[in-house]
Amino acid sequence: MADTLDMSGPSSPEQQRANRILSEPLRRSLKRSHPCSLSEYLNNTNRLSHRHSSSSMGVRGLLHPTAAQHRPTQPRQTKPRRAHSSNIDLWDSPSGLHLAHAAELLMRAGALTLTPTPRDQGPLGEEMKGGSGAEGDGTGCVADFLPLLGCSWFPLNPGLFALMAGGGGFLTSGGGSMGIAGVGEGVEVLRGESSSTGGGGGAGRRKRKRCGECVPCRRTGNCEECSACRNRKTGHQICKYRKCEQLKKKAATGFEMVFPSGAAFPWLQ
DNA sequence: TAGAACGTTGTG
DNA sequence: CACAACGTTCTA
C-alpha cells in the first residue's frame, strides 16, 4: 500500500492512467451523489438539533447515533427482514462521514472553528447559501467550502480537507477501498470499512465495481451451472466463475489517505 | 461459515 | 424501466 506521500507526480504509467481516469467527466450517477451542501447541512443540523435537543451532543453521539437519533424509518410493505439501507439522511453518507458531517464533528470537537467574518451576518448557512451560488445544484460541497480554505480561520489539515471535500465527488467504496470519485488529481484513495458493520448501519452502501482485470473478470459468459447462475432470478449474483477477485475480498477497515501527486496540494511540497 | 435470498444500486 | 450484480442478512 502506498502509505507514503508521493510528491513526484504521475510518473508511473499506472499513476498516469489513474489520473486520466480521474480526469474524465463524471458519470451522471456520480455527479448526482452529493447528499447535501454545507449550507444545506447546517440548516438541517439546526432542525436536527431542535428535534433531538442534542445541540450539546458529543462527537461520540454523532458518530454513533442511537436508534432514537435516527430518523424514524418509514413503514415498509416489504418483509421486515431487511433493514432499509436507502434512507440517506444526515447520518447516512456513502462514506459514513460526509464532508459536512465531518465539519460538524470537528466544530463540536473544537478542532474546527467557524469564526464569522464581518460579512458573515447571521447564520453561517444563510450566508453561504447566498454567497456561494452553489445552492441547490447538488455540487455545493466544494463551492461551499473553498471560500473557507482561503480564510486563516480554517484550520483544517489539507489532507483532512481533501478527505472531506473529495473534489466535488463523494467517497465511494471500491475495490476494498474508499475512493473519491470525481477528484481531478490529488487524493486518490481513502480506505474505509464496509458500510454496514462499521457503524454506518448499512447507510452509505456503495457498490464496488469489478476490477475488470482479474481472471474471473476477463472471463466471458456464464457457466450456467454454478449456484449463482442457477439461482440467477433469486440470487442476483454474477456467475461464480466471473466473480471479481477484488469483490470477493472484504472491504478494508480503517482510513488511510494516499496522495499520488502533490500537485493539488502545493503546501505539502 | 458458506450459500441463499433479497434489497438496493448502477447502467443502458 | 429492465436488468445485472453488489451488499447485507438470514439460515443450514
Side-chain angles (χ1 to χ4, degrees):
Chain A
M1 130 184 154
D3 52 359
T4 59
L5 298 181
D6 181 359
M7 302 299 180
S8 58
S11 53
S12 71
E14 261 193 28
Q15 288 176 340
Q16 290 175 358
R17 188 166 62 104
N19 280 348
R20 191 173 63 247
I21 292 173
L22 290 171
S23 300
E24 289 176 355
L26 281 178
R27 277 182 274 221
R28 195 176 51 182
S29 59
L30 295 180
K31 284 180 180 175
R32 70 180 180 193
S33 300
H34 296 278
C36 66
S37 68
L38 175 60
S39 55
E40 289 168 333
Y41 169 75
L42 288 173
N43 287 337
N44 285 329
T45 302
N46 290 338
R47 268 183 268 134
L48 268 185
S49 299
H50 183 264
R51 189 195 314 164
H52 300 305
S53 302
S54 60
S55 58
S56 60
M57 183 170 62
V59 172
R60 178 178 296 274
L62 281 170
L63 286 172
H64 304 287
T66 64
Q69 289 164 350
H70 276 285
R71 216 191 300 188
T73 53
Q74 299 174 358
R76 302 184 55 191
Q77 59 266 43
T78 52
K79 291 182 182 179
R81 179 170 163 242
R82 310 279 179 214
H84 207 300
S85 61
S86 64
N87 291 331
I88 301 299
D89 61 14
L90 288 174
W91 302 115
D92 299 340
S93 78
S95 66
L97 183 64
H98 185 265
L99 155 64
H101 300 183
E104 171 73 4
L105 296 181
L106 286 169
M107 280 190 285
R108 296 193 180 203
L112 169 62
T113 56
L114 292 179
T115 307
T117 63
R119 70 185 191 94
D120 285 335
Q121 305 293 329
L124 177 63
E126 291 180 15
E127 167 62 23
M128 299 199 64
K129 220 176 202 174
S132 69
E135 171 188 0
D137 65 357
T139 61
C141 291
V142 174
D144 283 349
F145 253 73
L146 281 183
L148 302 181
L149 262 188
C151 303
S152 59
W153 46 266
F154 193 79
L156 271 186
N157 180 310
L160 175 58
F161 176 77
L163 181 158
M164 293 160 62
F170 64 95
L171 301 178
T172 66
S173 59
S177 67
M178 299 290 284
I180 296 178
V183 65
E185 62 176 86
V187 177
E188 178 188 14
V189 169
L190 296 169
R191 291 191 183 276
E193 64 186 331
S194 61
S195 50
S196 78
T197 57
R205 182 171 62 187
R206 285 284 173 262
K207 281 177 143 183
R208 291 177 297 166
K209 305 196 77 173
R210 308 170 71 197
C211 70
E213 294 176 356
C214 63
V215 173
C217 281
R218 289 176 186 274
R219 187 178 175 126
T220 59
N222 300 321
C223 70
E224 304 297 348
E225 291 178 357
C226 69
S227 58
C229 287
R230 279 185 275 118
N231 303 324
R232 176 135 306 134
K233 281 281 186 283
T234 57
H236 301 173
Q237 288 294 315
I238 192 173
C239 171
K240 210 163 115 181
Y241 300 105
R242 295 180 61 206
K243 181 77 173 180
C244 175
E245 296 290 350
Q246 299 298 320
L247 296 181
K248 286 177 185 174
K249 300 172 188 171
K250 272 283 189 183
T253 59
F255 284 95
E256 64 188 70
M257 300 185 66
V258 177
F259 298 89
S261 167
F265 306 99
W267 52 82
L268 289 178
Q269 297 182 348

